[in-house]
PDB file of all heavy atoms in Angstrom:
ATOM      1  N   MET A 535     -66.606 -36.929  35.353  1.00 95.00           N
ATOM      2  CA  MET A 535     -67.401 -35.866  34.756  1.00 95.00           C
ATOM      3  C   MET A 535     -67.865 -34.893  35.823  1.00 95.00           C
ATOM      4  O   MET A 535     -68.332 -35.292  36.892  1.00 95.00           O
ATOM      5  CB  MET A 535     -68.618 -36.469  34.060  1.00 95.00           C
ATOM      6  CG  MET A 535     -69.552 -35.449  33.439  1.00 95.00           C
ATOM      7  SD  MET A 535     -70.917 -36.284  32.602  1.00 95.00           S
ATOM      8  CE  MET A 535     -71.839 -34.882  32.018  1.00 95.00           C
ATOM      9  N   ILE A 536     -67.727 -33.612  35.544  1.00 96.00           N
ATOM     10  CA  ILE A 536     -68.283 -32.565  36.385  1.00 96.00           C
ATOM     11  C   ILE A 536     -69.013 -31.572  35.497  1.00 96.00           C
ATOM     12  O   ILE A 536     -68.819 -31.555  34.275  1.00 96.00           O
ATOM     13  CB  ILE A 536     -67.211 -31.866  37.254  1.00 96.00           C
ATOM     14  CG1 ILE A 536     -65.974 -31.509  36.422  1.00 96.00           C
ATOM     15  CG2 ILE A 536     -66.844 -32.718  38.450  1.00 96.00           C
ATOM     16  CD1 ILE A 536     -64.857 -30.879  37.221  1.00 96.00           C
ATOM     17  N   ILE A 537     -69.851 -30.733  36.114  1.00 97.00           N
ATOM     18  CA  ILE A 537     -70.758 -29.901  35.324  1.00 97.00           C
ATOM     19  C   ILE A 537     -70.991 -28.571  36.033  1.00 97.00           C
ATOM     20  O   ILE A 537     -70.872 -28.469  37.257  1.00 97.00           O
ATOM     21  CB  ILE A 537     -72.100 -30.651  35.112  1.00 97.00           C
ATOM     22  CG1 ILE A 537     -72.998 -29.949  34.096  1.00 97.00           C
ATOM     23  CG2 ILE A 537     -72.827 -30.857  36.440  1.00 97.00           C
ATOM     24  CD1 ILE A 537     -74.206 -30.790  33.684  1.00 97.00           C
ATOM     25  N   GLY A 538     -71.308 -27.548  35.244  1.00 97.00           N
ATOM     26  CA  GLY A 538     -71.716 -26.263  35.776  1.00 97.00           C
ATOM     27  C   GLY A 538     -72.905 -25.744  34.993  1.00 97.00           C
ATOM     28  O   GLY A 538     -72.938 -25.858  33.761  1.00 97.00           O
ATOM     29  N   VAL A 539     -73.895 -25.188  35.687  1.00 98.00           N
ATOM     30  CA  VAL A 539     -75.102 -24.670  35.034  1.00 98.00           C
ATOM     31  C   VAL A 539     -75.430 -23.310  35.622  1.00 98.00           C
ATOM     32  O   VAL A 539     -75.576 -23.169  36.832  1.00 98.00           O
ATOM     33  CB  VAL A 539     -76.310 -25.614  35.245  1.00 98.00           C
ATOM     34  CG1 VAL A 539     -77.571 -25.007  34.629  1.00 98.00           C
ATOM     35  CG2 VAL A 539     -76.038 -26.985  34.655  1.00 98.00           C
ATOM     36  N   GLY A 540     -75.517 -22.282  34.760  1.00 97.00           N
ATOM     37  CA  GLY A 540     -75.905 -20.962  35.246  1.00 97.00           C
ATOM     38  C   GLY A 540     -75.139 -19.849  34.579  1.00 97.00           C
ATOM     39  O   GLY A 540     -74.735 -19.954  33.416  1.00 97.00           O
ATOM     40  N   GLY A 541     -74.900 -18.775  35.341  1.00 97.00           N
ATOM     41  CA  GLY A 541     -74.237 -17.584  34.814  1.00 97.00           C
ATOM     42  C   GLY A 541     -73.085 -17.133  35.698  1.00 97.00           C
ATOM     43  O   GLY A 541     -72.325 -17.968  36.180  1.00 97.00           O
ATOM     44  N   PRO A 542     -72.948 -15.820  35.931  1.00 97.00           N
ATOM     45  CA  PRO A 542     -71.803 -15.301  36.691  1.00 97.00           C
ATOM     46  C   PRO A 542     -71.689 -15.843  38.112  1.00 97.00           C
ATOM     47  O   PRO A 542     -70.608 -15.777  38.712  1.00 97.00           O
ATOM     48  CB  PRO A 542     -72.060 -13.788  36.711  1.00 97.00           C
ATOM     49  CG  PRO A 542     -72.898 -13.530  35.500  1.00 97.00           C
ATOM     50  CD  PRO A 542     -73.773 -14.730  35.370  1.00 97.00           C
ATOM     51  N   GLU A 543     -72.783 -16.384  38.644  1.00 97.00           N
ATOM     52  CA  GLU A 543     -72.718 -16.935  40.003  1.00 97.00           C
ATOM     53  C   GLU A 543     -71.986 -18.275  40.054  1.00 97.00           C
ATOM     54  O   GLU A 543     -71.596 -18.749  41.133  1.00 97.00           O
ATOM     55  CB  GLU A 543     -74.134 -17.114  40.565  1.00 97.00           C
ATOM     56  CG  GLU A 543     -74.902 -18.319  40.069  1.00 97.00           C
ATOM     57  CD  GLU A 543     -75.475 -18.176  38.653  1.00 97.00           C
ATOM     58  OE1 GLU A 543     -75.280 -17.105  38.034  1.00 97.00           O
ATOM     59  OE2 GLU A 543     -76.121 -19.122  38.164  1.00 97.00           O
ATOM     60  N   VAL A 544     -71.767 -18.906  38.892  1.00 97.00           N
ATOM     61  CA  VAL A 544     -71.120 -20.213  38.836  1.00 97.00           C
ATOM     62  C   VAL A 544     -69.605 -20.011  38.754  1.00 97.00           C
ATOM     63  O   VAL A 544     -69.097 -19.477  37.771  1.00 97.00           O
ATOM     64  CB  VAL A 544     -71.618 -21.033  37.628  1.00 97.00           C
ATOM     65  CG1 VAL A 544     -70.899 -22.375  37.574  1.00 97.00           C
ATOM     66  CG2 VAL A 544     -73.124 -21.230  37.718  1.00 97.00           C
ATOM     67  N   ARG A 545     -68.892 -20.440  39.773  1.00 95.00           N
ATOM     68  CA  ARG A 545     -67.448 -20.215  39.853  1.00 95.00           C
ATOM     69  C   ARG A 545     -66.629 -21.470  39.597  1.00 95.00           C
ATOM     70  O   ARG A 545     -65.413 -21.459  39.744  1.00 95.00           O
ATOM     71  CB  ARG A 545     -67.088 -19.618  41.211  1.00 95.00           C
ATOM     72  CG  ARG A 545     -67.597 -18.180  41.352  1.00 95.00           C
ATOM     73  CD  ARG A 545     -67.261 -17.575  42.687  1.00 95.00           C
ATOM     74  NE  ARG A 545     -67.574 -16.143  42.666  1.00 95.00           N
ATOM     75  CZ  ARG A 545     -66.682 -15.181  42.491  1.00 95.00           C
ATOM     76  NH1 ARG A 545     -65.410 -15.501  42.285  1.00 95.00           N
ATOM     77  NH2 ARG A 545     -67.044 -13.915  42.496  1.00 95.00           N
ATOM     78  N   GLY A 546     -67.273 -22.548  39.254  1.00 95.00           N
ATOM     79  CA  GLY A 546     -66.547 -23.775  38.964  1.00 95.00           C
ATOM     80  C   GLY A 546     -67.514 -24.882  38.594  1.00 95.00           C
ATOM     81  O   GLY A 546     -68.731 -24.684  38.538  1.00 95.00           O
ATOM     82  N   MET A 547     -66.972 -26.061  38.349  1.00 96.00           N
ATOM     83  CA  MET A 547     -67.797 -27.225  38.045  1.00 96.00           C
ATOM     84  C   MET A 547     -67.773 -28.172  39.235  1.00 96.00           C
ATOM     85  O   MET A 547     -66.857 -28.148  40.048  1.00 96.00           O
ATOM     86  CB  MET A 547     -67.285 -27.930  36.792  1.00 96.00           C
ATOM     87  CG  MET A 547     -67.447 -27.099  35.531  1.00 96.00           C
ATOM     88  SD  MET A 547     -66.987 -28.020  34.033  1.00 96.00           S
ATOM     89  CE  MET A 547     -65.222 -28.221  34.279  1.00 96.00           C
ATOM     90  N   ALA A 548     -68.787 -29.013  39.321  1.00 94.00           N
ATOM     91  CA  ALA A 548     -68.935 -29.910  40.460  1.00 94.00           C
ATOM     92  C   ALA A 548     -69.794 -31.088  40.033  1.00 94.00           C
ATOM     93  O   ALA A 548     -70.332 -31.108  38.918  1.00 94.00           O
ATOM     94  CB  ALA A 548     -69.591 -29.160  41.621  1.00 94.00           C
ATOM     95  N   PRO A 549     -69.950 -32.088  40.881  1.00 94.00           N
ATOM     96  CA  PRO A 549     -70.966 -33.106  40.607  1.00 94.00           C
ATOM     97  C   PRO A 549     -72.338 -32.444  40.519  1.00 94.00           C
ATOM     98  O   PRO A 549     -72.533 -31.317  40.993  1.00 94.00           O
ATOM     99  CB  PRO A 549     -70.866 -34.032  41.832  1.00 94.00           C
ATOM    100  CG  PRO A 549     -69.480 -33.836  42.346  1.00 94.00           C
ATOM    101  CD  PRO A 549     -69.168 -32.390  42.103  1.00 94.00           C
ATOM    102  N   PRO A 550     -73.326 -33.110  39.918  1.00 94.00           N
ATOM    103  CA  PRO A 550     -74.647 -32.475  39.730  1.00 94.00           C
ATOM    104  C   PRO A 550     -75.289 -32.094  41.061  1.00 94.00           C
ATOM    105  O   PRO A 550     -75.220 -32.831  42.040  1.00 94.00           O
ATOM    106  CB  PRO A 550     -75.456 -33.551  39.004  1.00 94.00           C
ATOM    107  CG  PRO A 550     -74.745 -34.833  39.309  1.00 94.00           C
ATOM    108  CD  PRO A 550     -73.306 -34.490  39.414  1.00 94.00           C
ATOM    109  N   LEU A 551     -75.911 -30.922  41.052  1.00 92.00           N
ATOM    110  CA  LEU A 551     -76.517 -30.368  42.264  1.00 92.00           C
ATOM    111  C   LEU A 551     -78.040 -30.281  42.165  1.00 92.00           C
ATOM    112  O   LEU A 551     -78.689 -29.727  43.047  1.00 92.00           O
ATOM    113  CB  LEU A 551     -75.945 -28.979  42.529  1.00 92.00           C
ATOM    114  CG  LEU A 551     -74.419 -28.897  42.693  1.00 92.00           C
ATOM    115  CD1 LEU A 551     -73.968 -27.442  42.740  1.00 92.00           C
ATOM    116  CD2 LEU A 551     -73.973 -29.644  43.931  1.00 92.00           C
ATOM    117  N   GLY A 552     -78.614 -30.790  41.083  1.00 95.00           N
ATOM    118  CA  GLY A 552     -80.057 -30.710  40.894  1.00 95.00           C
ATOM    119  C   GLY A 552     -80.502 -29.407  40.259  1.00 95.00           C
ATOM    120  O   GLY A 552     -81.706 -29.090  40.273  1.00 95.00           O
ATOM    121  N   LYS A 553     -79.571 -28.638  39.671  1.00 96.00           N
ATOM    122  CA  LYS A 553     -79.955 -27.383  39.031  1.00 96.00           C
ATOM    123  C   LYS A 553     -80.762 -27.652  37.769  1.00 96.00           C
ATOM    124  O   LYS A 553     -80.484 -28.596  37.018  1.00 96.00           O
ATOM    125  CB  LYS A 553     -78.714 -26.556  38.708  1.00 96.00           C
ATOM    126  CG  LYS A 553     -77.934 -26.112  39.946  1.00 96.00           C
ATOM    127  CD  LYS A 553     -76.848 -25.121  39.600  1.00 96.00           C
ATOM    128  CE  LYS A 553     -77.430 -23.761  39.259  1.00 96.00           C
ATOM    129  NZ  LYS A 553     -76.394 -22.723  39.096  1.00 96.00           N
ATOM    130  N   ILE A 554     -81.739 -26.802  37.523  1.00 97.00           N
ATOM    131  CA  ILE A 554     -82.609 -26.943  36.357  1.00 97.00           C
ATOM    132  C   ILE A 554     -82.145 -25.996  35.257  1.00 97.00           C
ATOM    133  O   ILE A 554     -81.933 -24.804  35.496  1.00 97.00           O
ATOM    134  CB  ILE A 554     -84.067 -26.643  36.743  1.00 97.00           C
ATOM    135  CG1 ILE A 554     -84.542 -27.636  37.818  1.00 97.00           C
ATOM    136  CG2 ILE A 554     -84.976 -26.706  35.528  1.00 97.00           C
ATOM    137  CD1 ILE A 554     -85.907 -27.336  38.376  1.00 97.00           C
ATOM    138  N   LEU A 555     -81.961 -26.529  34.051  1.00 97.00           N
ATOM    139  CA  LEU A 555     -81.498 -25.723  32.927  1.00 97.00           C
ATOM    140  C   LEU A 555     -82.578 -24.731  32.513  1.00 97.00           C
ATOM    141  O   LEU A 555     -83.751 -25.102  32.392  1.00 97.00           O
ATOM    142  CB  LEU A 555     -81.129 -26.619  31.745  1.00 97.00           C
ATOM    143  CG  LEU A 555     -79.740 -27.268  31.750  1.00 97.00           C
ATOM    144  CD1 LEU A 555     -79.552 -28.197  32.943  1.00 97.00           C
ATOM    145  CD2 LEU A 555     -79.498 -28.027  30.446  1.00 97.00           C
ATOM    146  N   LYS A 556     -82.162 -23.474  32.265  1.00 96.00           N
ATOM    147  CA  LYS A 556     -83.114 -22.437  31.850  1.00 96.00           C
ATOM    148  C   LYS A 556     -82.496 -21.615  30.727  1.00 96.00           C
ATOM    149  O   LYS A 556     -81.270 -21.632  30.526  1.00 96.00           O
ATOM    150  CB  LYS A 556     -83.481 -21.550  33.040  1.00 96.00           C
ATOM    151  CG  LYS A 556     -82.331 -20.803  33.653  1.00 96.00           C
ATOM    152  CD  LYS A 556     -82.782 -20.026  34.886  1.00 96.00           C
ATOM    153  CE  LYS A 556     -81.669 -19.137  35.442  1.00 96.00           C
ATOM    154  NZ  LYS A 556     -80.469 -19.909  35.836  1.00 96.00           N
ATOM    155  N   PRO A 557     -83.305 -20.882  29.962  1.00 96.00           N
ATOM    156  CA  PRO A 557     -82.770 -20.092  28.856  1.00 96.00           C
ATOM    157  C   PRO A 557     -81.685 -19.124  29.332  1.00 96.00           C
ATOM    158  O   PRO A 557     -81.808 -18.482  30.372  1.00 96.00           O
ATOM    159  CB  PRO A 557     -84.000 -19.335  28.348  1.00 96.00           C
ATOM    160  CG  PRO A 557     -85.155 -20.213  28.711  1.00 96.00           C
ATOM    161  CD  PRO A 557     -84.785 -20.816  30.028  1.00 96.00           C
ATOM    162  N   GLY A 558     -80.626 -19.036  28.541  1.00 96.00           N
ATOM    163  CA  GLY A 558     -79.515 -18.147  28.843  1.00 96.00           C
ATOM    164  C   GLY A 558     -78.409 -18.787  29.646  1.00 96.00           C
ATOM    165  O   GLY A 558     -77.301 -18.226  29.755  1.00 96.00           O
ATOM    166  N   ASP A 559     -78.656 -19.958  30.239  1.00 97.00           N
ATOM    167  CA  ASP A 559     -77.623 -20.620  31.046  1.00 97.00           C
ATOM    168  C   ASP A 559     -76.446 -21.072  30.198  1.00 97.00           C
ATOM    169  O   ASP A 559     -76.618 -21.554  29.068  1.00 97.00           O
ATOM    170  CB  ASP A 559     -78.203 -21.867  31.732  1.00 97.00           C
ATOM    171  CG  ASP A 559     -78.939 -21.555  33.008  1.00 97.00           C
ATOM    172  OD1 ASP A 559     -78.815 -20.425  33.515  1.00 97.00           O
ATOM    173  OD2 ASP A 559     -79.640 -22.459  33.513  1.00 97.00           O
ATOM    174  N   LEU A 560     -75.253 -20.928  30.756  1.00 98.00           N
ATOM    175  CA  LEU A 560     -74.102 -21.668  30.265  1.00 98.00           C
ATOM    176  C   LEU A 560     -74.143 -23.055  30.884  1.00 98.00           C
ATOM    177  O   LEU A 560     -74.441 -23.205  32.080  1.00 98.00           O
ATOM    178  CB  LEU A 560     -72.794 -20.995  30.676  1.00 98.00           C
ATOM    179  CG  LEU A 560     -72.389 -19.690  29.990  1.00 98.00           C
ATOM    180  CD1 LEU A 560     -71.039 -19.223  30.549  1.00 98.00           C
ATOM    181  CD2 LEU A 560     -72.304 -19.852  28.483  1.00 98.00           C
ATOM    182  N   VAL A 561     -73.849 -24.065  30.093  1.00 98.00           N
ATOM    183  CA  VAL A 561     -73.715 -25.430  30.613  1.00 98.00           C
ATOM    184  C   VAL A 561     -72.308 -25.891  30.255  1.00 98.00           C
ATOM    185  O   VAL A 561     -71.978 -26.086  29.081  1.00 98.00           O
ATOM    186  CB  VAL A 561     -74.763 -26.378  30.011  1.00 98.00           C
ATOM    187  CG1 VAL A 561     -74.608 -27.773  30.621  1.00 98.00           C
ATOM    188  CG2 VAL A 561     -76.172 -25.845  30.259  1.00 98.00           C
ATOM    189  N   THR A 562     -71.475 -25.991  31.281  1.00 98.00           N
ATOM    190  CA  THR A 562     -70.087 -26.385  31.077  1.00 98.00           C
ATOM    191  C   THR A 562     -69.896 -27.816  31.545  1.00 98.00           C
ATOM    192  O   THR A 562     -70.536 -28.265  32.502  1.00 98.00           O
ATOM    193  CB  THR A 562     -69.135 -25.475  31.882  1.00 98.00           C
ATOM    194  OG1 THR A 562     -69.444 -25.592  33.273  1.00 98.00           O
ATOM    195  CG2 THR A 562     -69.276 -24.030  31.462  1.00 98.00           C
ATOM    196  N   THR A 563     -69.015 -28.537  30.873  1.00 97.00           N
ATOM    197  CA  THR A 563     -68.699 -29.889  31.340  1.00 97.00           C
ATOM    198  C   THR A 563     -67.353 -30.327  30.813  1.00 97.00           C
ATOM    199  O   THR A 563     -66.856 -29.821  29.797  1.00 97.00           O
ATOM    200  CB  THR A 563     -69.770 -30.901  30.897  1.00 97.00           C
ATOM    201  OG1 THR A 563     -69.577 -32.129  31.611  1.00 97.00           O
ATOM    202  CG2 THR A 563     -69.697 -31.195  29.401  1.00 97.00           C
ATOM    203  N   GLU A 564     -66.765 -31.249  31.560  1.00 97.00           N
ATOM    204  CA  GLU A 564     -65.664 -32.025  31.008  1.00 97.00           C
ATOM    205  C   GLU A 564     -66.056 -33.493  31.102  1.00 97.00           C
ATOM    206  O   GLU A 564     -66.500 -33.969  32.138  1.00 97.00           O
ATOM    207  CB  GLU A 564     -64.349 -31.737  31.734  1.00 97.00           C
ATOM    208  CG  GLU A 564     -64.336 -31.925  33.236  1.00 97.00           C
ATOM    209  CD  GLU A 564     -63.008 -31.528  33.843  1.00 97.00           C
ATOM    210  OE1 GLU A 564     -62.451 -30.493  33.419  1.00 97.00           O
ATOM    211  OE2 GLU A 564     -62.528 -32.250  34.735  1.00 97.00           O
ATOM    212  N   LEU A 565     -65.980 -34.167  29.972  1.00 97.00           N
ATOM    213  CA  LEU A 565     -66.224 -35.598  29.896  1.00 97.00           C
ATOM    214  C   LEU A 565     -64.880 -36.296  29.823  1.00 97.00           C
ATOM    215  O   LEU A 565     -64.000 -35.878  29.063  1.00 97.00           O
ATOM    216  CB  LEU A 565     -67.037 -35.956  28.654  1.00 97.00           C
ATOM    217  CG  LEU A 565     -68.384 -35.258  28.445  1.00 97.00           C
ATOM    218  CD1 LEU A 565     -69.025 -35.768  27.159  1.00 97.00           C
ATOM    219  CD2 LEU A 565     -69.293 -35.486  29.624  1.00 97.00           C
ATOM    220  N   THR A 566     -64.712 -37.377  30.580  1.00 98.00           N
ATOM    221  CA  THR A 566     -63.424 -38.077  30.593  1.00 98.00           C
ATOM    222  C   THR A 566     -63.664 -39.576  30.554  1.00 98.00           C
ATOM    223  O   THR A 566     -63.502 -40.282  31.559  1.00 98.00           O
ATOM    224  CB  THR A 566     -62.610 -37.701  31.845  1.00 98.00           C
ATOM    225  OG1 THR A 566     -62.762 -36.313  32.136  1.00 98.00           O
ATOM    226  CG2 THR A 566     -61.121 -38.001  31.639  1.00 98.00           C
ATOM    227  N   PRO A 567     -64.075 -40.114  29.405  1.00 97.00           N
ATOM    228  CA  PRO A 567     -64.321 -41.553  29.327  1.00 97.00           C
ATOM    229  C   PRO A 567     -63.030 -42.361  29.379  1.00 97.00           C
ATOM    230  O   PRO A 567     -61.975 -41.913  28.910  1.00 97.00           O
ATOM    231  CB  PRO A 567     -65.017 -41.712  27.973  1.00 97.00           C
ATOM    232  CG  PRO A 567     -64.526 -40.565  27.163  1.00 97.00           C
ATOM    233  CD  PRO A 567     -64.355 -39.433  28.128  1.00 97.00           C
ATOM    234  N   CYS A 568     -63.151 -43.548  29.943  1.00 94.00           N
ATOM    235  CA  CYS A 568     -62.021 -44.470  30.078  1.00 94.00           C
ATOM    236  C   CYS A 568     -62.310 -45.719  29.256  1.00 94.00           C
ATOM    237  O   CYS A 568     -63.352 -46.359  29.437  1.00 94.00           O
ATOM    238  CB  CYS A 568     -61.833 -44.826  31.554  1.00 94.00           C
ATOM    239  SG  CYS A 568     -60.524 -46.024  31.884  1.00 94.00           S
ATOM    240  N   VAL A 569     -61.402 -46.058  28.358  1.00 90.00           N
ATOM    241  CA  VAL A 569     -61.541 -47.242  27.522  1.00 90.00           C
ATOM    242  C   VAL A 569     -60.315 -48.117  27.738  1.00 90.00           C
ATOM    243  O   VAL A 569     -59.177 -47.689  27.521  1.00 90.00           O
ATOM    244  CB  VAL A 569     -61.674 -46.867  26.030  1.00 90.00           C
ATOM    245  CG1 VAL A 569     -61.766 -48.123  25.172  1.00 90.00           C
ATOM    246  CG2 VAL A 569     -62.897 -45.988  25.807  1.00 90.00           C
ATOM    247  N   ASN A 570     -60.543 -49.351  28.216  1.00 88.00           N
ATOM    248  CA  ASN A 570     -59.443 -50.273  28.506  1.00 88.00           C
ATOM    249  C   ASN A 570     -58.389 -49.649  29.413  1.00 88.00           C
ATOM    250  O   ASN A 570     -57.188 -49.881  29.255  1.00 88.00           O
ATOM    251  CB  ASN A 570     -58.787 -50.759  27.208  1.00 88.00           C
ATOM    252  CG  ASN A 570     -59.688 -51.689  26.417  1.00 88.00           C
ATOM    253  OD1 ASN A 570     -60.488 -52.428  26.996  1.00 88.00           O
ATOM    254  ND2 ASN A 570     -59.594 -51.652  25.104  1.00 88.00           N
ATOM    255  N   GLY A 571     -58.849 -48.824  30.349  1.00 92.00           N
ATOM    256  CA  GLY A 571     -57.936 -48.249  31.330  1.00 92.00           C
ATOM    257  C   GLY A 571     -57.395 -46.884  30.980  1.00 92.00           C
ATOM    258  O   GLY A 571     -56.783 -46.237  31.829  1.00 92.00           O
ATOM    259  N   TYR A 572     -57.624 -46.388  29.758  1.00 96.00           N
ATOM    260  CA  TYR A 572     -57.027 -45.126  29.321  1.00 96.00           C
ATOM    261  C   TYR A 572     -58.095 -44.045  29.171  1.00 96.00           C
ATOM    262  O   TYR A 572     -59.110 -44.252  28.515  1.00 96.00           O
ATOM    263  CB  TYR A 572     -56.278 -45.327  28.000  1.00 96.00           C
ATOM    264  CG  TYR A 572     -55.024 -46.145  28.203  1.00 96.00           C
ATOM    265  CD1 TYR A 572     -55.058 -47.532  28.155  1.00 96.00           C
ATOM    266  CD2 TYR A 572     -53.804 -45.525  28.477  1.00 96.00           C
ATOM    267  CE1 TYR A 572     -53.925 -48.291  28.378  1.00 96.00           C
ATOM    268  CE2 TYR A 572     -52.663 -46.279  28.696  1.00 96.00           C
ATOM    269  CZ  TYR A 572     -52.727 -47.660  28.648  1.00 96.00           C
ATOM    270  OH  TYR A 572     -51.598 -48.405  28.883  1.00 96.00           O
ATOM    271  N   TYR A 573     -57.813 -42.903  29.779  1.00 97.00           N
ATOM    272  CA  TYR A 573     -58.754 -41.780  29.795  1.00 97.00           C
ATOM    273  C   TYR A 573     -58.400 -40.732  28.738  1.00 97.00           C
ATOM    274  O   TYR A 573     -57.217 -40.462  28.479  1.00 97.00           O
ATOM    275  CB  TYR A 573     -58.715 -41.071  31.147  1.00 97.00           C
ATOM    276  CG  TYR A 573     -59.269 -41.852  32.305  1.00 97.00           C
ATOM    277  CD1 TYR A 573     -58.463 -42.742  33.013  1.00 97.00           C
ATOM    278  CD2 TYR A 573     -60.588 -41.696  32.717  1.00 97.00           C
ATOM    279  CE1 TYR A 573     -58.958 -43.446  34.098  1.00 97.00           C
ATOM    280  CE2 TYR A 573     -61.094 -42.405  33.797  1.00 97.00           C
ATOM    281  CZ  TYR A 573     -60.274 -43.277  34.485  1.00 97.00           C
ATOM    282  OH  TYR A 573     -60.764 -43.971  35.569  1.00 97.00           O
ATOM    283  N   VAL A 574     -59.449 -40.130  28.169  1.00 98.00           N
ATOM    284  CA  VAL A 574     -59.311 -38.949  27.325  1.00 98.00           C
ATOM    285  C   VAL A 574     -60.391 -37.963  27.749  1.00 98.00           C
ATOM    286  O   VAL A 574     -61.498 -38.351  28.128  1.00 98.00           O
ATOM    287  CB  VAL A 574     -59.443 -39.296  25.824  1.00 98.00           C
ATOM    288  CG1 VAL A 574     -59.695 -38.033  25.006  1.00 98.00           C
ATOM    289  CG2 VAL A 574     -58.182 -39.966  25.326  1.00 98.00           C
ATOM    290  N   GLN A 575     -60.075 -36.681  27.673  1.00 98.00           N
ATOM    291  CA  GLN A 575     -61.003 -35.658  28.155  1.00 98.00           C
ATOM    292  C   GLN A 575     -61.335 -34.652  27.058  1.00 98.00           C
ATOM    293  O   GLN A 575     -60.502 -34.354  26.196  1.00 98.00           O
ATOM    294  CB  GLN A 575     -60.374 -34.926  29.337  1.00 98.00           C
ATOM    295  CG  GLN A 575     -61.306 -33.957  30.057  1.00 98.00           C
ATOM    296  CD  GLN A 575     -60.688 -33.503  31.374  1.00 98.00           C
ATOM    297  OE1 GLN A 575     -60.089 -32.430  31.439  1.00 98.00           O
ATOM    298  NE2 GLN A 575     -60.824 -34.319  32.419  1.00 98.00           N
ATOM    299  N   ILE A 576     -62.576 -34.166  27.113  1.00 98.00           N
ATOM    300  CA  ILE A 576     -62.981 -33.058  26.266  1.00 98.00           C
ATOM    301  C   ILE A 576     -63.699 -32.042  27.144  1.00 98.00           C
ATOM    302  O   ILE A 576     -64.475 -32.408  28.029  1.00 98.00           O
ATOM    303  CB  ILE A 576     -63.890 -33.509  25.104  1.00 98.00           C
ATOM    304  CG1 ILE A 576     -64.229 -32.317  24.198  1.00 98.00           C
ATOM    305  CG2 ILE A 576     -65.166 -34.189  25.609  1.00 98.00           C
ATOM    306  CD1 ILE A 576     -64.899 -32.717  22.893  1.00 98.00           C
TER     307      ILE A 576
END
């Protein structure tokens, strides 16, 4: 899982950086759970 929080200054996703969510922010993520060895992503 990686995440992005903010606006035009955010150029990609990364592990969490301690950013605080505020009104107007985009919050992007990809979740990739693994079940019995097999991954699926959203």
